[in-house]
Amino acid sequence: MGVLVDSQKEGFGSSWGGLKSLVRRKQVDSAHSKRSGHHQLAKELTVPHLIAIGVGSTIGAGVYILVGTVAREHSGPALAISFLIAGIAAALSAFCYAELASRCPSAGSAYHYSYICVGEGVAWLIGWALILEYTIGGAAVARGISPNLALLFGGEDSLPIFLSRQYIPGLDVVVDPCAAILVFIVTGLLCVGIKESTFAQGIVTTANVCAMIFVIVAGGYLGYNTGWAGYKLPTGYFPFGVDGMLAGSATVFFAYIGFDSVASTAEEVKNPQRDLPLGIATALSICCGLYMLVSIVIVGLVPYYAMDPDTPISSAFASHGMQWAAYIITIGAVTALCSTLMGSLLPQPRILLAMARDGLLPSFFSDVNKSSQVPIKSTLATGLVAATLSFFMDVSQLAGMVSVGTLLAFTMVAISVLILRYVPPDEVPFPSSLQESIDSVTLRYSERISGKNPETSTFVDSSQPLLGNKNVVVDCPIIEKQEAQAYWTLTEQNRRKIAGWTIMLLCVGAFGLTFAASNVWIPSLIRLTCCGVGGVLLLSGLIVLTCIDQDDARHNFGHTGGFICPFVPLLPIVCILINVYLLINLGAATWARVSVWLLIGVVVYVFYGRSHSSLLDAVYVPAAHADEIYRSSDDSLA
């Protein structure tokens, strides 16, 4: 049994008490938590809307280039298998997202889940990293539209002067008015309403999918007539070996990034428990199927070593006398970029909204327009920053920073699933304004424990013999027996401690194993030792979590009745391992840039977020007493 705990005030003045703010966790949004007075977002989205968001955010113009680069350097004719393996790896994260999104259907996505399951410090870093991801991602996508759009009008210099790129000698920059204008157009659409903007994204995404279907159908016809020359090679199906095919999977994995945008709209979904898992799964399945079919066709038309690394699909059709197909492919690239731009700008206002609701950012970002039920101020701020970056800067060299935010989010979502299953939060934060109700429930609870409540107490007259036997010696054998039993059996408290330490050591093992395996410059003895220790920690953690029971409270955590992630703990552990491996292999230059951004985030949190958090004066109460406290509060107001 628990007791009422004010974990924020207790020890807050001690040397480490300030660090407690890093681990304070918020409550899953529920009917009780709506008392905060925040305006809710419009519940307008259904499964088709979510599919449009997921497919539009995932399938970018990169696939029109990626098939050539990966086939030439890594996979060869086995490119479709690389896409399949990458799709399966992305599906692991999608399973974790689907459970958390249906249990915690509120704005904020991975930031929201991390705040509930891990703590405020980690949630802040995840939210701060996602802000960088969507800002840089949106600007980079917008910057790539104008060159592709110019191809439709005859070449690089064919756009009107007010849309074409211009070099400014004094500033030594190349400005891109077309990119900034497109960002403002998309921002305007997002301000109109979530249903209207999603409908527009669905139209653009449909055009992109039709272009890919054209590539599949027309390419399949050409391949059938020409005998699939790309597969009749002496080098075989795996010219770079299985290792090359797996390296290709790691590269094309980033082509699946985007389905997390679906989770960011959870608060705006009509039936999140059913629709969110369906939307995520369907969008990912469509993307994987299109990727595989396109790669099968293109690799079969042209030998992998003869592919054009810049325009592999257009050149493949041109080699068979279909130069006109380049226009359809270019239209597909332009629409893909436009839909990806909308998918990049859509989630960020929701992240800002969630962080502002929690007090970590100024309340300016949490305002929701009453008529459109959209966070217009956050949306306008996002659009302004993205338009400025896309106008003045070529952010292509910063594209790796986008992947850091996504992979960090994927990793924390998988960890959150393990925490939800084995050590879900057993305390609920209450505002200090409910202190009277909390004290009232505390008093009643104490009376029940001490036996002063006649309705719940049973008194034994120790002066009378037990069962009529006057020779019975009343000692403490029951207590001793219980203590001995507790020593040899796994109590609930011990189980939670073991599970918590195991999850932490799992993360350490995943980092040690992937870091040592990825860095060949480490001395071989140290490298093998780190790999061995990391592997032992991972395997031991998997065995321990498999053997011990999952927490019974998981059944009632958050909103029940939604998707349940299968194969726990194996699936989240594999997900953690894959994402940590990809994070480590992003390169030192990328991590140096991201570290600067995260350091700025730490400064902002220390000087603003920590002291303005909505949990600053929260009183933490055992979850079992939460409903009773809410009822007591309602009775006092009545």
Side-chain angles (χ1 to χ4, degrees), residues 60-62 64 144-145 148 208 211 327-338:
Y64 293 98
I145 292 178
N148 287 277
N208 178 27
Y327 288 98
I328 297 178
I329 295 166
T330 303
I331 291 174
V334 171
T335 54
L337 285 168
C338 291

Side-chain angles (χ1 to χ4, degrees), residues 138-139 142-143 145-146 149 159-165 175-189 338 341-342 345 383-384 386-392:
R143 192 85 178 187
I145 292 178
S146 56
L149 193 62
L159 286 177
I161 188 67
F162 67 92
L163 292 178
S164 61
R165 291 182 176 180
V175 297
D176 193 338
C178 180
I181 291 173
L182 286 171
V183 170
F184 283 128
I185 292 174
V186 170
T187 302
L189 278 173
C338 291
L341 176 60
M342 299 183 72
L345 297 181
L384 182 62
T388 303
L389 284 176
S390 62
F391 182 75
F392 286 106

Side-chain angles (χ1 to χ4, degrees), residues 5-9 429-432 614-620:
V5 178
D6 184 350
S7 57
Q8 305 313 312
K9 296 179 180 178
F430 280 84
S432 56
S614 60
L615 299 182
L616 181 63
D617 297 319
V619 180
Y620 280 75

Side-chain angles (χ1 to χ4, degrees), residues 20-39:
K20 286 189 175 182
S21 64
L22 300 178
V23 295
R24 55 193 178 195
R25 298 185 284 191
K26 71 174 184 177
Q27 182 185 8
V28 179
D29 289 340
S30 64
H32 297 306
S33 62
K34 303 303 181 187
R35 304 172 177 216
S36 58
H38 294 304
H39 292 292

Side-chain angles (χ1 to χ4, degrees), residues 81 106 150-151 160 199 262 279 293 363 397 402 499 503 507 530 577 588:
I81 300 180
S106 185
L151 294 176
F199 178 75
V262 178
L293 290 172
S363 58
Q397 68 271 19
V402 176
I503 293 172
C507 299
C530 289
L577 189 62

